[in-house]
Amino acid sequence: MDPRDRSPLKHFVVAKKKINDVFEQLLGYVQEGSEFVKDTCQNDSLEQIAEKAQLEEIEAYTGKLAVIKEVLARRHMKVAFFGRTSNGKSTVINAMLRDRVLPSGIGHTTNCFLSVEGTDEDKAYLKTEGSEEEKSIKTVNQLAHALHMDESLDAGCLVKVFWPKTKCALLRDDLVLMDSPGTDVTTQLDSWIDKFCLDADVFVLVANSESTLMNTEKHFFHKVNERLSKPNIFILNNRWDASASEPEYMEDVRKQHMDRCVNFLVEELKVVDKEQAPNHIFFVSAKEVLNSRMQRAQGMPETGGALAEGFQDRLKEFQSFERTFEECISQSAVKTKFEQHTIRAKQITESVKDIMDQIHIAAAEKRVASLEEREYLMDRLEFVRNQLNLLIEDIKKKIKIVTEQVEKQVSNAMAEEICRLSVLIDEFHTDFHPSPHVLKIYKSELLNHVEKGMGKNLAFRCSDAVNASVQSSQKDMIECLQPLLPPTVQSQIDMLIPYRKFDLSYDLNCATLCADFQENIEFQFSLGWTALVSRFLGPANAKRALMLIDQNLQLSATTPTGGAVAEAAPPRAPVTQGQSQAVMTQEEIMMSMAANLASLTSRTSMSVVIVGGVVWRTIGWRVIALSMSLYGLLYLYERLTWTTKAKERALKKQFVDYATEKLQMIVSFTSSNCSHQVQQEIASTFARLCQQVDITQRELESEISRLTTKIQELEKVQTHSKALRHKATELEKQLENFTSQYLQPQN
């Protein structure tokens, strides 16, 4: 195994890989957090959980981390070699590369800045500043050698040399070696420092051991020290092989160079302390090391050729320089290249973690509030349902009571109005004439008068009380159901269910009810045969009896006298048979009496003479004559007083009797109709109230469903923010481990 595989430069490579892995995870974490915060902000149901400022902050971190990640991927260790012209800077680099990569020689050789870095390709190439064109490595002498100056390049330009990593193990570990022109060939030192030195991890001052440190060299590093805080500086006293020619002065010269270099590093630059300073100063011969290593690469012994005495010591010291340099640049590069980014990563992680904590706390608070609100709404919904069920039963009972009261009240009022029907009819006045046409109009107007009058009287008796009862019931319902409604609806209940006067409709329909009324306004003597029978038997039975008498009289006119009595009985059979289902037993008896009475009138004149003689002898002729005179006078009086007014009174009396009977038949129907109207009115109000309660229930159910969904979303937010917080904690641990392993000084 090549010893260089165990090079301290691996420390930087491993650290770079680890920090890149951490930043890869951190970038993914921040992107995930950004999407989470964005989704939370855009969710309208999760208001005030995540703020827009938090989203903008975390999105800004995403951009910054992407830039840092890109920078870290390009990071490498950089060592810059400076010194006066012809001090062997290029030779030192070639010795470290184990090949003649850079132009070197006597005099002013390097004309511009040259950087050497590894490439994974098999061939070497170079690029000039401002160009991506790959040029052959053979042109490096033409571009960078002072003797073959390219007019397009000056001392402040940079030529990048890409050397295959397979040819140089040193370049496998992200190391860049930068050669420079002599510090004594230009006065533009400040621009050099700004352009090439600010990102350098180690500076190597290549001095000429045959001379001493010059002011131009010191001046340059003083400027570097002003721009950078305690830069890592190594001093190589090159060409130390010249001391072999004067071995007696070797130690004295070495001590002289050592003292001056220590004083320069400790007293002037103050970059190291006095104990560590000797470890930064070396006495080497780069040319010897380069030759020996090239010989070894060609399979020849390292010590072959003309080498000055003490070569092995100088070779060991050069190797010591390389080892110390590698350790220093590895530690320094890790610190300079990764420390600030690590600190920034910690800050970003902490900030994102704080955002996740804020979102988690806000979501937890909102979730608790939503749970409490949902619990309250569920209790409210259950209360509304239970109360509504109880109120429905209670209000049904109240409606039943009210309707029964209305039915009874209307029934009583209508009975009283029927009793006062004659008064109502007497109040009717219009033109009357017994002609059929006038009678038809008269009866029509009379029916309208009765309809309106009874309706008006019933409304006067019942409407106010019924309206008060309905409004009282409606008010009680509203008071019972109002607590079940939300406050906004409670304040608008008067508009949603306005109070209105309730008027009963008493639809008696007298025109239809009394449509079959037939008046009888023909003259009838009060002591006439028909009137007496009517008084004795009643109007209905008298009519039937008179019809029977008429039949008997007709039979007596066509039948012999001897058979009259025997045949008087048969005419009763059809009457009795025809009326057997409609007439009561008492009526049958009275009909039998009337038949017998009629049979007496059909006897022979002999019977009349006998009876008349008996009466004559009993009371005398004067009494009979007086009675007949009075009877005739009464008949004459009644006949003379049977005027149009009398006929109208008779019609009204007949109508009163007829309408009373008919109206009594619809008392129950009318009262039930009125109670049904009241029931519909109260039930309609209750239905509208129940509709509002149903709307309230649906709103409560909808709000409960919305809160349930919101609680689930808040739980997801809590879970996700908690997971992101744990990820932040893991990243913080990784950053802390990286800091303790690579950035803190090892004991």
Side-chain angles (χ1 to χ4, degrees):
M1 177 183 292
D2 192 333
R4 193 162 296 278
D5 289 341
R6 299 186 297 271
S7 168
L9 297 179
K10 292 290 185 183
H11 180 74
F12 175 84
V13 176
V14 174
K16 179 180 177 180
K17 183 178 184 304
K18 286 191 176 182
I19 196 64
N20 272 294
D21 291 342
V22 172
F23 268 86
E24 182 74 27
Q25 297 178 42
L26 180 57
L27 179 59
Y29 165 72
V30 174
Q31 288 174 339
E32 181 183 358
S34 177
E35 288 297 322
F36 166 67
V37 175
K38 183 178 181 180
D39 292 341
T40 306
C41 283
Q42 292 177 347
N43 193 332
D44 295 334
S45 63
L46 301 178
E47 71 282 356
Q48 298 179 352
I49 298 296
E51 299 176 359
K52 190 174 181 180
Q54 293 174 329
L55 177 60
E56 292 174 351
E57 180 181 356
I58 201 167
E59 285 179 343
Y61 290 151
T62 303
K64 291 178 181 178
L65 286 173
V67 172
I68 293 174
K69 184 174 177 295
E70 185 178 353
V71 170
L72 287 175
R74 297 197 306 264
R75 285 296 189 187
H76 47 250
M77 295 174 286
K78 182 177 180 180
V79 55
F81 293 82
F82 288 93
R84 287 186 296 118
T85 302
S86 297
N87 279 5
K89 300 183 292 297
S90 301
T91 305
V92 171
I93 295 174
N94 288 335
M96 296 174 70
L97 296 175
R98 301 170 183 262
D99 201 347
R100 299 185 186 276
V101 179
L102 302 181
S104 61
I106 61 174
H108 181 198
T109 306
T110 305
N111 182 52
C112 61
F113 281 87
L114 290 167
S115 68
V116 183
E117 56 186 288
T119 178
D120 294 324
E121 297 184 14
D122 295 332
K123 65 176 183 177
Y125 61 92
L126 59 86
K127 292 181 180 180
T128 57
E129 188 173 359
S131 174
E132 291 299 321
E133 181 185 359
E134 296 183 2
K135 298 181 180 181
S136 171
I137 193 67
K138 296 179 180 179
T139 62
V140 68
N141 284 328
Q142 298 176 1
L143 292 173
H145 202 292
L147 297 178
H148 308 282
M149 291 180 59
D150 191 318
E151 294 181 358
S152 63
L153 299 176
D154 58 20
C157 291
L158 175 65
V159 175
K160 293 183 178 180
V161 178
F162 295 89
W163 194 257
K165 293 180 180 180
T166 54
K167 294 183 178 181
C168 181
L170 185 66
L171 299 178
R172 297 173 188 169
D173 300 324
D174 292 332
L175 178 65
V176 176
L177 305 176
M178 190 179 69
D179 194 6
S180 65
T183 56
D184 52 347
V185 299
T186 184
T187 58
Q188 299 178 352
L189 298 180
D190 291 333
S191 63
W192 283 13
I193 295 172
D194 292 336
K195 190 173 182 179
F196 303 109
C197 300
L198 295 181
D199 61 340
D201 300 296
V202 171
F203 293 89
V204 178
L205 171 56
V206 180
N208 188 349
S209 59
E210 295 180 302
S211 177
T212 186
L213 289 177
M214 306 299 290
N215 288 332
T216 56
E217 298 167 320
K218 291 184 177 182
H219 180 64
F220 174 79
F221 279 96
H222 275 294
K223 284 184 173 292
V224 171
N225 195 42
E226 290 174 1
R227 306 296 292 275
L228 300 175
S229 176
K230 290 187 177 181
N232 294 308
I233 300 176
F234 289 85
I235 299 178
L236 289 183
N237 290 287
N238 193 23
R239 298 183 181 175
W240 186 241
D241 56 326
S243 63
S245 61
E246 299 179 356
E248 66 276 12
Y249 299 110
M250 181 183 298
E251 292 301 325
D252 293 336
V253 174
R254 183 185 180 95
K255 185 176 181 305
Q256 182 187 52
H257 285 320
M258 180 66 73
D259 293 340
R260 290 180 179 179
C261 291
V262 168
N263 183 71
F264 176 62
L265 295 176
V266 176
E267 301 297 335
E268 296 186 36
L269 298 180
K270 298 180 180 179
V271 293
V272 292
D273 55 29
K274 195 170 185 178
E275 288 75 16
Q276 294 178 342
N279 296 329
H280 287 247
I281 302 169
F282 299 91
F283 296 85
V284 298
S285 175
K287 188 175 183 179
E288 287 183 336
V289 174
L290 174 60
N291 291 332
S292 65
R293 288 180 173 177
M294 290 186 67
Q295 288 178 357
R296 182 180 178 183
Q298 295 172 3
M300 300 171 61
E302 289 184 354
T303 57
L307 296 176
E309 186 178 351
F311 164 72
Q312 291 296 335
D313 295 334
R314 292 189 293 275
L315 177 61
K316 290 180 180 179
E317 188 151 357
F318 191 87
Q319 293 173 344
S320 176
F321 156 70
E322 288 180 315
R323 174 65 64 177
T324 306
F325 150 77
E326 290 176 1
E327 293 175 353
C328 178
I329 195 173
S330 179
Q331 293 291 340
S332 175
V334 168
K335 188 174 182 63
T336 57
K337 298 295 190 297
F338 305 144
E339 185 175 36
Q340 291 302 317
H341 293 316
T342 303
I343 294 172
R344 185 59 178 152
K346 289 180 180 179
Q347 293 172 347
I348 291 175
T349 305
E350 184 65 28
S351 298
V352 176
K353 183 180 177 182
D354 289 341
I355 292 174
M356 295 303 126
D357 284 338
Q358 294 170 13
I359 293 175
H360 185 273
I361 293 171
E365 292 175 352
K366 289 285 184 181
R367 178 176 174 273
V368 171
S370 298
L371 284 170
E372 293 175 352
E373 185 178 358
R374 186 180 68 172
E375 188 69 24
Y376 167 76
L377 292 178
M378 292 175 69
D379 292 341
R380 174 73 177 170
L381 179 60
E382 184 178 3
F383 169 76
V384 169
R385 287 173 175 171
N386 294 337
Q387 285 297 110
L388 183 61
N389 292 333
L390 294 174
L391 289 173
I392 287 174
E393 296 300 323
D394 185 49
I395 289 173
K396 282 182 179 179
K397 294 178 182 178
K398 289 183 179 180
I399 292 176
K400 183 178 180 182
I401 293 172
V402 171
T403 53
E404 289 176 352
Q405 291 175 350
V406 170
E407 184 175 1
K408 183 178 180 182
Q409 187 176 4
V410 173
S411 179
N412 294 336
M414 193 169 178
E416 293 178 4
E417 286 300 316
I418 291 173
C419 293
R420 294 182 67 255
L421 183 61
S422 60
V423 178
L424 178 63
I425 293 177
D426 287 341
E427 294 174 353
F428 176 72
H429 301 287
T430 189
D431 295 336
F432 178 82
H433 192 273
S435 63
H437 177 68
V438 176
L439 277 176
K440 183 177 180 181
I441 297 174
Y442 183 87
K443 288 193 291 183
S444 176
E445 293 180 357
L446 178 60
L447 289 171
N448 289 334
H449 173 74
V450 172
E451 180 83 25
K452 293 179 181 179
M454 285 200 71
K456 181 179 178 182
N457 293 338
L458 287 174
F460 178 77
R461 286 174 175 271
C462 303
S463 292
D464 290 342
V466 170
N467 185 58
S469 178
V470 170
Q471 288 192 355
S472 176
S473 299
Q474 290 175 338
K475 185 177 180 181
D476 290 341
M477 286 190 296
I478 291 173
E479 290 178 352
C480 291
L481 289 175
Q482 194 168 9
L484 305 183
L485 303 174
T488 54
V489 179
Q490 291 182 19
S491 61
Q492 300 176 357
I493 194 69
D494 293 335
M495 291 187 295
L496 295 172
I497 306 175
Y499 288 104
R500 62 180 182 181
K501 186 177 180 180
F502 173 70
D503 293 323
L504 279 174
S505 175
Y506 307 95
D507 188 10
L508 301 177
N509 200 8
C510 290
T512 304
L513 188 66
C514 301
D516 58 348
F517 168 68
Q518 294 293 329
E519 74 283 352
N520 182 9
I521 57 175
E522 296 295 330
F523 174 74
Q524 291 183 355
F525 182 43
S526 60
L527 295 179
W529 172 251
T530 303
L532 291 175
V533 173
S534 298
R535 288 178 184 176
F536 181 68
L537 297 178
N541 293 327
K543 185 176 181 181
R544 298 188 186 98
L546 291 173
M547 291 174 61
L548 183 59
I549 290 171
D550 290 340
Q551 292 175 3
N552 289 334
L553 288 174
Q554 293 173 3
L555 288 172
S556 65
T558 59
T559 305
T561 307
V565 176
E567 295 177 1
R572 293 184 298 174
V575 175
T576 305
Q577 184 178 0
Q579 303 295 329
S580 61
Q581 295 181 353
V583 184
M584 300 173 60
T585 305
Q586 182 181 358
E587 293 177 346
E588 292 177 353
I589 295 172
M590 296 176 69
M591 289 296 294
S592 177
M593 292 173 63
N596 292 331
L597 181 62
S599 68
L600 291 175
T601 62
S602 64
R603 301 288 177 87
T604 62
S605 59
M606 183 59 72
S607 299
V608 175
V609 172
I610 293 172
V611 172
V614 173
V615 173
W616 179 276
R617 286 184 178 277
T618 302
I619 62 176
W621 66 270
R622 290 183 181 86
V623 176
I624 294 173
L626 179 62
S627 298
M628 293 299 291
S629 299
L630 292 174
Y631 187 84
L633 289 172
L634 179 61
Y635 176 83
L636 181 61
Y637 172 77
E638 289 185 0
R639 183 64 179 173
L640 292 174
T641 56
W642 187 248
T643 62
T644 302
K645 288 290 183 183
K647 292 179 180 180
E648 183 181 5
R649 286 193 299 271
L651 184 145
K652 287 184 177 180
K653 184 176 182 304
Q654 293 173 20
F655 183 78
V656 168
D657 295 338
Y658 182 85
T660 298
E661 182 181 356
K662 292 291 184 179
L663 289 172
Q664 285 176 346
M665 293 170 58
I666 65 168
V667 169
S668 176
F669 172 77
T670 305
S671 59
S672 297
N673 181 38
C674 292
S675 67
H676 183 65
Q677 293 178 47
V678 172
Q679 181 180 1
Q680 282 187 326
E681 178 66 18
I682 299 176
S684 175
T685 301
F686 183 64
R688 290 199 299 270
L689 286 169
C690 288
Q691 184 180 13
Q692 293 298 324
V693 175
D694 289 341
I695 292 173
T696 300
Q697 290 188 62
R698 289 196 295 270
E699 289 176 350
L700 287 172
E701 290 171 352
S702 176
E703 186 65 15
I704 290 171
S705 177
R706 185 189 69 81
L707 286 172
T708 301
T709 303
K710 182 178 179 180
I711 290 169
Q712 292 174 350
E713 291 179 350
L714 288 170
E715 289 175 348
K716 291 180 181 178
V717 169
Q718 280 186 276
T719 303
H720 200 169
S721 60
K722 189 176 181 180
L724 289 173
R725 189 182 184 282
H726 289 330
K727 286 185 178 180
T729 303
E730 290 299 320
L731 286 170
E732 286 180 334
K733 290 181 179 179
Q734 293 185 41
L735 289 169
E736 286 298 329
N737 292 336
F738 181 83
T739 300
S740 61
Q741 185 174 358
Y742 296 101
L743 301 180
Q744 292 179 353
Q746 303 295 323
N747 294 328

